[in-house]
Amino acid sequence: LAGHYVGNDVSVEVREVRFVGNSRTSPEALRHLSDLHTGTHLAMADLGRAVAGVERHPWVEHAEARRIFPSTVEIRVVEHEPVLLLALDGLWYLDADGRPFKRARTDDLDYPVLTGLDADPEHAPAVVVDRAEWIESNIAGLGVALEPFIAARGDRGANLGGEAVGSRLTAAQLGGAMA
């Protein structure tokens, strides 16, 4: 009898999808990506699919979902934190692990800029076919290389040793500082 009641009770339907931890991503965009529908029975809501959808957003590094009875799905979001910009066919945000995750917006450029990497196929030793894969593979070790700088910045935010807006860090300067 209880199973029948819970299985057919409209008060156990999804009425709210709540997002926690998002500051750069809008709840509307995350709700769309989660593909959770109001009126779906809470027990039948596919949380794995919802998390996978939310994690497709470029700002989202990781997400977790849970049911809160009687009618809420809560999705906790951990967003990427940019620490550096990579100048390579445009500007890309890099996280603390040195992974590019999104093209930088023109209104959010207050990070040091890593320059000096050449992606021009005519000057590169190999032709680049997959830009995203090339970027990721060529800076895979950047997180390790930047670890001392990120640790040293402490509470100063994304400024790696400089307080000026738009400060730049070239590959040569980075190499010299690490030597």
Side-chain angles (χ1 to χ4, degrees):
L1 183 63
H4 174 74
Y5 176 73
V6 171
N8 294 313
D9 186 7
V10 294
S11 67
V12 190
E13 292 178 345
V14 175
R15 287 193 302 246
E16 178 186 7
V17 179
R18 180 184 316 150
F19 295 94
V20 178
N22 57 308
S23 62
R24 293 184 177 263
T25 53
S26 73
E28 296 80 15
L30 296 177
R31 175 69 187 260
H32 174 75
L33 289 168
S34 76
D35 199 28
L36 290 171
H37 301 283
T38 304
T40 302
H41 194 281
L42 193 58
M44 300 304 294
D46 189 344
L47 300 188
R49 185 170 141 213
V51 164
V54 167
E55 288 179 340
R56 285 193 341 248
H57 194 289
W59 277 108
V60 176
E61 182 176 354
H62 177 71
E64 295 177 354
R66 69 182 182 136
R67 294 173 180 88
I68 301 174
F69 286 95
S71 60
T72 302
V73 172
E74 180 180 87
I75 301 178
R76 293 192 171 274
V77 173
V78 175
E79 295 178 331
H80 288 282
E81 289 295 326
V83 297
L84 194 66
L85 294 172
L86 172 64
L88 184 66
D89 75 343
L91 293 174
W92 292 82
Y93 294 119
L94 296 181
D95 64 16
D97 293 324
R99 291 182 309 216
F101 61 92
K102 182 177 182 351
R103 280 193 180 271
R105 294 187 343 231
T106 58
D107 64 340
D108 188 22
L109 300 175
D110 190 15
Y111 302 97
V113 179
L114 177 63
T115 63
L117 299 178
D118 189 7
D120 182 8
E122 294 190 27
H123 298 101
V127 175
V128 176
V129 176
D130 182 346
R131 280 289 227 226
E133 188 175 304
W134 181 88
I135 291 169
E136 193 165 321
S137 68
N138 279 283
I139 62 168
L142 188 58
V144 174
L146 290 176
E147 206 167 88
F149 295 100
I150 293 167
R153 73 184 167 100
D155 292 332
R156 293 189 311 240
N159 291 321
L160 298 176
E163 298 300 322
V165 173
S167 61
R168 297 175 71 86
L169 178 67
T170 67
Q173 288 169 323
L174 179 61
M178 291 179 8

